[in-house]
Amino acid sequence: MKNFRKELLVIILSIFLSVSVTSQNKKSDVTESGFKIEKKSKKKKKKRKKYKLPNIDLSHWKVTLPATNNDGKPYEIDPPEILDFASNEMAKPYMYIDSTQGAIVFHAMPTNSKTRNTKYTRSELREQIMPGNNNVNWTFAQGAYMKGKLAMEATTRDSNGKYHRTIIMQIHGRLTNEQRDLIGEDDNNAPPILKIYWDNGKVRIKTKVLKNIHATDEELLHEDAWDNDEGFNFEQEVGFRKFTLEVKVSDGKMVVVLNNNEYKVYENIHMRRWGIFENYFKAGNYFQSRDEGSFSKVMFYELEVGH
């Protein structure tokens, strides 16, 4: 009987120990499992912010900004220094990259930084076929092309509630040194044959027409031989959305295209006689207001030229 009791006690003790060990193993498994889950949660990858860069090669552009240099003249950055504009402290308030939009922002407002022959300020690119040299330009006979993708980011309103306007693209004329000397001018400035405005949410074009279509070639070189046309508005309203603009010039002809579906063609005596001038492209934000507190910001996502 005693032996039976001992055996029974041994069996009960064995069962107890087995259950205890199993229970401990389960607890250990749960603890280990919980530990692993906690480690995995810590290792979750952080979402990386997406950065975009504008598709613009600045190696053949210089920029004029609404700031002044040490001589009190508009601050300019020529190539190749313009390639590093993002780290230029003078440029940062007026020309910078919006990496969330993938655009260069041109910010302009009224300042004392005005170029000759104008009362307005600009944050605007000027084409340089030969980097660093303003004396190498092109004619209509040689042909030229510019295309940009852009948007108005922000602009102020005037006292009548109308948005301030700005020039976003230009073709500017230029006198050769020989032409300058022939008419006795002290600089090479000639009128712009093309101004494209962002005007209260629409794209507006202004060009030049001769006051006298029978003027001599020498008379054509004078700025007062030319007048402004009546202007043209594209039907589509672009507002603050992205849009594309193309400008194509050839001998005696100029075509402006909005969003690849609206066209304005200039092919007339004025275009043909304009062929006497050299030209260069401009793009950016040439702000057309002196109102206190006014400004605009224009974003360029893409910009290209060809000849």
Side-chain angles (χ1 to χ4, degrees):
M1 187 70 178
K2 287 182 179 179
N3 290 336
F4 175 75
R5 286 178 179 176
K6 285 181 180 179
E7 290 176 1
L8 182 60
L9 185 60
V10 168
I11 291 170
I12 292 170
L13 184 61
S14 298
I15 292 170
F16 175 79
L17 289 173
S18 175
V19 169
S20 177
V21 169
T22 302
S23 175
Q24 287 178 3
N25 285 342
K26 285 182 178 180
K27 286 180 181 179
S28 176
D29 287 344
V30 169
T31 303
E32 186 177 355
S33 175
F35 175 74
K36 285 179 180 178
I37 290 172
E38 187 178 352
K39 281 184 72 177
K40 283 181 180 178
S41 66
K42 284 183 179 179
K43 286 185 177 180
K44 281 183 180 178
K45 292 182 179 179
K46 293 181 179 179
K47 289 183 179 179
R48 293 182 180 178
K49 293 181 180 179
K50 292 183 178 180
Y51 295 96
K52 302 176 185 177
L53 293 176
N55 184 21
I56 300 175
D57 178 7
L58 293 173
S59 58
H60 289 269
W61 298 92
K62 78 170 183 178
V63 68
T64 302
L65 300 172
T68 53
N69 60 23
N70 293 332
D71 298 323
K73 295 180 179 180
Y75 186 81
E76 296 184 340
I77 310 174
D78 291 292
E81 288 77 17
I82 194 173
L83 299 177
D84 195 32
F85 75 90
S87 62
N88 184 313
E89 292 299 323
M90 286 288 287
K92 283 180 180 179
Y94 313 111
M95 179 184 179
Y96 54 89
I97 293 175
D98 183 334
S99 58
T100 61
Q101 295 293 322
I104 297 177
V105 180
F106 296 92
H107 182 198
M109 71 295 292
T111 68
N112 291 325
S113 172
K114 295 174 288 185
T115 55
R116 188 173 179 176
N117 304 317
T118 183
K119 61 181 180 180
Y120 299 122
T121 54
R122 67 188 80 206
S123 176
E124 186 181 39
L125 297 171
R126 192 268 199 212
E127 179 192 16
Q128 290 186 322
I129 292 177
M130 183 179 292
N133 188 344
N134 288 337
N135 291 314
V136 180
N137 301 286
W138 49 267
T139 64
F140 271 45
Q142 292 169 325
Y145 169 81
M146 176 166 63
K147 182 178 181 180
K149 180 183 286 186
L150 61 153
M152 175 62 74
E153 180 186 4
T155 190
T156 48
R157 297 177 186 262
D158 63 20
S159 58
N160 296 318
K162 186 177 179 181
Y163 286 118
H164 289 113
R165 66 179 188 167
T166 192
I167 297 173
I168 50 181
M169 284 185 176
Q170 293 190 75
I171 295 177
H172 214 291
R174 193 173 192 276
L175 299 170
T176 64
N177 291 340
E178 293 75 19
Q179 290 171 336
R180 176 200 64 198
D181 296 341
L182 176 64
I183 63 173
E185 285 291 341
D186 58 357
D187 64 21
N188 298 83
N189 189 62
I193 185 61
L194 174 68
K195 292 180 180 179
I196 305 179
Y197 295 81
W198 186 94
D199 188 0
N200 209 38
K202 288 206 165 188
V203 176
R204 179 168 174 77
I205 306 173
K206 291 284 288 181
T207 187
K208 293 291 183 182
V209 290
L210 276 168
K211 294 177 181 177
N212 174 15
I213 61 173
H214 302 294
T216 66
D217 285 352
E218 183 177 336
E219 288 171 338
L220 295 184
L221 301 176
H222 294 272
E223 189 166 353
D224 60 10
W226 299 87
D227 206 351
N228 296 314
D229 74 346
E230 294 180 353
F232 171 82
N233 282 2
F234 283 111
E235 290 185 11
Q236 182 180 354
E237 185 172 345
V238 297
F240 292 85
R241 300 181 302 275
K242 286 183 189 178
F243 59 95
T244 60
L245 274 175
E246 295 176 77
V247 180
K248 307 173 186 179
V249 297
S250 54
D251 197 7
K253 185 177 180 179
M254 179 172 69
V255 182
V256 182
V257 186
L258 173 62
N259 285 333
N260 203 34
N261 60 20
E262 283 192 72
Y263 298 76
K264 177 59 177 175
V265 180
Y266 298 88
E267 191 171 13
N268 49 44
I269 183 64
H270 311 290
M271 291 296 117
R272 289 195 294 274
R273 301 215 63 190
W274 185 264
I276 196 170
F277 291 108
E278 290 187 346
N279 307 273
Y280 54 89
F281 285 121
K282 304 193 83 176
N285 181 356
Y286 182 17
F287 190 51
Q288 303 290 291
S289 175
R290 296 295 301 176
D291 289 353
E292 185 177 354
S294 62
F295 73 91
S296 68
K297 295 180 180 181
V298 179
M299 296 189 292
F300 271 76
Y301 302 86
E302 298 175 10
L303 182 65
E304 61 176 304
V305 297
H307 299 288

